[in-house]
Structure formats: structure tokens, C-alpha cells
Amino acid sequence: MRRVAAIICAVLLAGATFSAASGVTTKLPDDKAWLMRMMSCEGEGVSMELYLPQSVIFSNRAAPDASGMQPGQVVIGYYTLDLTDANKGKSLEPVRVTLSADRKTVTVDQYTRGLPPTRIPVKGGTVDFDQRFGTGAKCGPFQAQDPDYGNKR
């Protein structure tokens, strides 16, 4: 009996170690980073928001029109799903965010839940995040909070 208990403990410990190691490799923003809301979406009884690290949003590069997120760049950000109206609370999950090469769409990959990536027009539009809660969500423009947003187009 003790031998079985020892084997079970070893398996659980190995699983926890593997789980912790896979979380580290996603390179989440550290505790010194602060995040900024870059997109807000509203659905029926639900709201979603997308946050990115300020180091990406306000990064200055050589060309003045090249600050902020770059085409093709993949960034780890956070996605909120607010189900407070349904008495389910508000969740916060890491997501991979990619700006398309033509700067016309933003792809949000909810990789932790295995959902298909969601493509959102940069100027805003109606999208489906997940088939349970996030369908028909109306999203505002991406990077609308960026003070230089209008000068980048």
C-alpha cells in the first residue's frame, strides 16, 4: 500500500513540475511590467478586453511611424472575459496577440484553452471569441488608446 502511495505521489509531483515548467516558457510579463487596454468588445451580457505590456505599446524604434506593435510581431498579453452579469465572475488569461503584416487584423490566440484563434479587424468589427460566451462581440478599434494612433495610418 505504501508503495502505491509513493508511486502516486511521484506521478503527481512530476505532473506539477511539468505544468510549472510549461507555464514559465510562455514568457508572461514580469511583475515590473504594466499593462494597457488595447481593445474592448461587448457581447450579449458579456464583455471582453485585450491588454498588452506597455513596453510593446510605447517602444520607440528608429522610424517615428514604427513605434508600438509591429506587423508580424507576436506578443503575450492578457484577455479578460467578464461574465459578472451571469454570476460567473471575470477571468483573466494569457493570450498570444499578433498584428498582421498589412496592419489590418489582430489575431488573439487563446492558447491556454485550445480555442481557435480569433481575427479582429484593427478598425473594429463583430467577431466570435468562443462559442459559449463570446459570440457576436462588437469590438472597438485596436490601439485606440495609443496617443499617436491617428498618425500611424
Side-chain angles (χ1 to χ4, degrees), residues 105-152:
T105 59
V106 174
T107 302
V108 177
D109 181 8
Q110 293 174 272
Y111 65 94
T112 61
R113 292 199 287 150
L115 296 172
T118 303
R119 292 174 44 97
I120 308 165
V122 167
K123 292 183 179 183
T126 303
V127 299
D128 292 335
F129 280 98
D130 99 30
Q131 298 304 312
R132 291 180 52 205
F133 304 109
T135 58
K138 292 174 180 42
C139 296
F142 180 73
Q143 294 193 152
Q145 293 81 356
D146 182 344
D148 196 31
Y149 175 74
N151 297 325
K152 291 184 179 179

Side-chain angles (χ1 to χ4, degrees), residues 57-106:
I57 299 162
F58 295 114
S59 62
N60 291 318
R61 294 177 173 83
D65 64 340
S67 64
M69 195 164 176
Q70 298 300 296
Q73 182 179 13
V74 179
V75 176
I76 296 292
Y78 285 94
Y79 166 85
T80 65
L81 177 62
D82 190 350
L83 297 168
T84 303
D85 291 347
N87 198 27
K88 294 184 186 281
K90 185 174 186 176
S91 63
L92 179 67
E93 70 177 280
V95 292
R96 289 186 192 103
V97 180
T98 308
L99 181 61
S100 66
D102 62 4
R103 293 182 178 252
K104 291 186 178 184
T105 59
V106 174

Side-chain angles (χ1 to χ4, degrees), residues 21-30 53 75-78 94-96 111:
S22 64
V24 172
T25 60
T26 59
K27 298 202 181 211
L28 299 172
D30 65 15
V75 176
I76 296 292
Y78 285 94
V95 292
R96 289 186 192 103
Y111 65 94

